[in-house]
C-alpha cells in the first residue's frame, strides 16, 4: 500500500499497523522512550511517510488524538509551522509524556516561531512541558541563526532558575540548552561558560551536575577550536 496526500487518518493508522516491529519496540524502551502505544517504527521511516502524505494540519490533529506513538510523530511531521498557533502548541504540550515526542515538537515550535511560549512552558510544573521549554531553547540556539544573540542569551536566566529541577528529563534538557547556547558562537560562549562554572560550584546536586557537565564540553579543546574559526 502506498499512501498519498489524500490518505485519511484511518488509512494511515491502518498502514502504520502493518509496520509494527516488536524488536524495535523493545529497543525504544531501552532508550527511555514510552512504548505503551508504540508500533516500533523508526523515525526515518516515519519521515518518509510524512513526505508521502504531505502537510495536513487538520488530519495531523486527528492522528495526534489516536494516542499512538507513531501517529503522534507523524502528526508533528505533518503540521504546518507556517500556520501553527500557540493554542495548538499548548494543546499538544498537555499530552506530552515521552522525551522524543517533546524534542520533535520543540523543533516544530521553534520553526513555527513560537519562542514566546518558552517562559510559559518553563514555569509549568509538569515535567515534560518544562522539558519542552529547554528543548526549544536548545533548538533555537542552533537553528535561529539570524536572530540576535541577545535573544538566545536571555534564556540563560531560565537555565539558572531551573537548574535545581532534579527530574531526569528536565535536568538533561536544561543541561542541553546551556551547552547549545555556549556552542552557538564566541559571543554566547563566555556567559554560558561563566554560568556553567557558577552552577558547578552550587550546593545543589542537580545544578552542580548540570554545571560540571556543561563546563566539560564548553571548555573542551574541540569546542574552543571550533569557536575560533
Amino acid at each position: 500500500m502506498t499512501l498519498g496526500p489524500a490518505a485519511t487518518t484511518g488509512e494511515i493508522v491502518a498502514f502504520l499497523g502493518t509496520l509494527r516491529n516488536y524488536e524495535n519496540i523493545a529497543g525504544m524502551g531501552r532508550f527511555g522512550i514510552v512504548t505503551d502505544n508504540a508500533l516500533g517504527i523508526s523515525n526515518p521511516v516515519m519521515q518518509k511517510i510524512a513526505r508521502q502524505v504531505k502537510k495536513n494540519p487538520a488530519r495531523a490533529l486527528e492522528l495526534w488524538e489516536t494516542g499512538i506513538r507513531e501517529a503522534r510523530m507523524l502528526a508533528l511531521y505533518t503540521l504546518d509551522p507556517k500556520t501553527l498557533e500557540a493554542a495548538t502548541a499548548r494543546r499538544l504540550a498537555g499530552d506530552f509524556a515521552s522525551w522524543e515526542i517533546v524534542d520533535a515538537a520543540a523543533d516544530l515550535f521553534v520553526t513555527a516561531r513560537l519562542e514566546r511560549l518558552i517562559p510559559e512552558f518553563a514555569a509549568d510544573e509538569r515535567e515534560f512541558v518544562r522539558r519542552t521549554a529547554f528543548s526549544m531553547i536548545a533548538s533555537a540556539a542552533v537553528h535561529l541563526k539570524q536572530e540576535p544573540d541577545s535573544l538566545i542569551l536571555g534564556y540563560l536566566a531560565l537555565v539558572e532558575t531551573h537548574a535545581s529541577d532534579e527530574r531526569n528529563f528536565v535536568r538533561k534538557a536544561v543541561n542541553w540548552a546551556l551547552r547549545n547556547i555556549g556552542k552557538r558562537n564566541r559571543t554566547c560562549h563566555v556567559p554560558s561558560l561563566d554560568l556553567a562554572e557558577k552552577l558547578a560550584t552550587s550546593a545543589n546536586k542537580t545544578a552542580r551536575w548540570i554545571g560540571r557537565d556543561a563546563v566539560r564540553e564548553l571548555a573542551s579543546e574541540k569546542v574552543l577550536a571550533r569557536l575560533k574559526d
Side-chain angles (χ1 to χ4, degrees):
M1 178 180 180
T2 301
L3 297 173
T8 66
T9 299
E11 289 170 340
I12 291 172
V13 170
F15 177 72
L16 294 177
T18 68
L19 302 179
R20 185 188 299 270
N21 186 312
Y22 290 101
E23 184 177 348
N24 285 352
I25 292 173
M28 289 174 177
R30 289 193 290 271
F31 282 95
I33 295 171
V34 175
T35 59
D36 294 350
N37 292 307
L39 299 173
I41 307 171
S42 70
N43 287 343
V45 171
M46 295 303 306
Q47 290 161 357
K48 180 179 179 181
I49 295 171
R51 290 192 294 270
Q52 293 172 347
V53 301
K54 308 297 182 183
K55 303 288 185 188
N56 186 322
R59 186 186 60 202
L61 293 178
E62 292 177 357
L63 287 167
W64 183 267
E65 290 302 321
T66 68
I68 300 167
R69 177 252 174 200
E70 284 72 12
R72 286 191 163 181
M73 290 299 289
L74 191 58
L76 296 174
Y77 293 150
T78 58
L79 281 165
D80 188 347
K82 295 178 181 178
T83 60
L84 183 63
E85 297 181 349
T88 301
R90 292 188 185 98
R91 172 184 167 186
L92 299 179
D95 291 333
F96 290 164
S98 185
W99 66 263
E100 65 149 1
I101 294 286
V102 168
D103 295 352
D107 283 341
L108 172 66
F109 295 168
V110 168
T111 302
R113 300 310 309 267
L114 294 175
E115 311 95 90
R116 64 186 179 279
L117 293 177
I118 290 175
E120 176 184 326
F121 285 164
D124 197 298
E125 290 296 331
R126 289 172 291 181
E127 180 175 9
F128 289 101
V129 178
R130 182 168 290 171
R131 180 185 173 90
T132 305
F134 291 97
S135 294
M136 288 178 69
I137 293 171
S139 180
V142 173
H143 298 297
L144 299 187
K145 299 182 186 299
Q146 302 306 314
E147 292 301 311
D149 292 331
S150 58
L151 172 70
I152 305 302
L153 287 171
Y155 297 131
L156 289 177
L158 289 175
V159 169
E160 184 168 10
T161 297
H162 296 288
S164 60
D165 191 324
E166 64 185 14
R167 292 174 295 180
N168 187 49
F169 293 110
V170 174
R171 71 185 182 98
K172 287 186 175 180
V174 173
N175 171 263
W176 181 25
L178 177 56
R179 290 185 290 109
N180 273 14
I181 295 173
K183 292 184 292 183
R184 177 177 168 90
N185 55 38
R186 283 180 288 182
T187 300
C188 293
H189 181 262
V190 172
S192 299
L193 182 57
D194 286 346
L195 176 56
E197 291 174 338
K198 178 182 178 181
L199 294 176
T201 62
S202 173
N204 180 274
K205 179 176 66 174
T206 301
R208 196 163 59 245
W209 174 84
I210 289 171
R212 288 176 178 176
D213 188 73
V215 168
R216 186 178 301 112
E217 181 170 15
L218 296 180
S220 68
E221 291 184 6
K222 180 179 179 180
V223 169
L224 295 175
R226 183 173 67 79
L227 292 173
K228 288 180 180 179
D229 294 338

